[in-house]
Amino acid sequence: MNEKIQKFKKHVIELSRNPDFVHHKWFVKYHLEIVEKIAMELCNIYKAADRDLVLTAVWLHDYGKLINFEKRHETTQTEGRKKLLEIGFAEDFIRKALELVGLMDKSMDIDLSTASLETKIVSSADGASHFVGPFYLLWWNEQPQIEPEELLEDDIRKANKDWNRKIVLPEVKKSFQARYDHFLEERGKFPEKYLNNRP
């Protein structure tokens, strides 16, 4: 199984570097690898999780973006399935992986806290990854045509989606609370007081 997963991962990395993909300069290092790291740390906590399924879903969840950004969800389901079959994954495993990422795509419509453990791990890792490193700085760099205030508002909207809909595991909320609070302050959500030790 590990050989198949590594083959798929290598394929995703190659696709991610296609200059036609808007985030090709940074997507692997500053998103997918971070999602994997957080997800594997969570698997160390939640030992009942299917690590193979989690790892495959990490590299599958944005697959459609790499091929057809506008139809990314449908493309993940169709082209992702084809590639996993081509590599030799079992039909039942592919079904589980596609179901997992399909649920993540519906995070605004369904409560992911009731989803499978593996879905909660990958979704939480994905949401948390956006608060690590230069993810948003790189996103801003790609949007020179958008006014800063609009980008700030969009950042807050995306961060709240991650925090309220995608990050569903308590360990992630606890570990990332300070990052989330700092992120909002950087986008203009200032605290009432800056010196908390003052009356």
Side-chain angles (χ1 to χ4, degrees):
M1 177 62 86
N2 185 58
E3 185 179 335
K4 293 186 183 92
I5 295 171
Q6 292 308 314
K7 190 171 182 179
F8 181 64
K9 178 177 173 178
K10 183 179 178 183
H11 165 69
V12 171
I13 290 170
E14 288 172 2
L15 275 182
S16 299
R17 292 182 176 148
N18 181 349
D20 291 334
F21 173 51
V22 64
H23 308 316
H24 69 276
K25 292 181 180 178
W26 58 268
F27 200 66
V28 173
K29 183 176 182 179
Y30 294 116
H31 181 55
L32 295 177
E33 289 179 356
I34 294 168
V35 178
E36 178 182 318
K37 177 72 172 151
I38 296 169
M40 292 298 98
E41 288 184 28
L42 286 167
C43 284
N44 291 337
I45 297 169
Y46 293 95
K47 298 188 185 301
D50 182 336
R51 292 178 77 94
D52 290 338
L53 181 59
V54 168
L55 188 54
T56 302
V58 164
W59 290 91
L60 177 65
H61 82 279
D62 279 330
Y63 189 75
K65 287 182 180 178
L66 311 177
I67 300 168
N68 186 338
F69 202 94
E70 298 305 315
K71 296 183 178 178
R72 53 192 174 274
H73 303 313
E74 304 96 310
T75 305
T76 295
Q77 295 294 317
T78 56
E79 298 304 314
R81 182 177 191 283
K82 284 180 191 174
K83 192 62 187 182
L84 292 172
L85 275 172
E86 179 187 313
I87 290 172
F89 286 90
E91 283 273 9
D92 187 56
F93 184 86
I94 294 170
R95 179 189 57 76
K96 289 178 184 175
L98 290 171
E99 182 179 285
L100 189 163
V101 297
L103 288 174
M104 287 176 59
D105 291 338
K106 298 174 184 170
S107 63
M108 292 304 289
D109 302 316
I110 62 173
D111 180 3
L112 291 180
S113 68
T114 64
S116 70
L117 176 57
E118 292 80 8
T119 304
K120 290 190 277 193
I121 287 172
V122 181
S123 178
S124 294
D126 181 40
S129 73
H130 301 149
F131 298 107
V132 176
F135 182 92
Y136 279 93
L137 294 175
L138 295 165
W139 167 260
W140 273 52
N141 187 57
E142 294 170 349
Q143 314 300 324
Q145 75 284 4
I146 302 178
E147 291 297 319
E149 286 296 325
E150 188 179 341
L151 284 167
L152 289 170
E153 290 174 15
D154 191 50
D155 282 1
I156 292 169
R157 181 189 59 77
K158 287 188 287 191
N160 285 333
K161 175 185 175 184
D162 286 332
W163 191 255
N164 297 315
R165 306 299 302 180
K166 295 177 80 174
I167 300 174
V168 294
L169 290 176
E171 294 82 2
V172 181
K173 288 272 191 180
K174 183 178 179 183
S175 295
F176 278 78
Q177 182 71 61
R179 290 174 186 263
Y180 173 65
D181 293 342
H182 182 71
F183 180 92
L184 293 181
E185 183 177 323
E186 284 186 324
R187 270 81 185 161
K189 299 290 185 184
F190 302 128
E192 289 184 22
K193 294 194 302 180
Y194 295 98
L195 302 179
N196 291 328
N197 60 338
R198 304 288 292 179

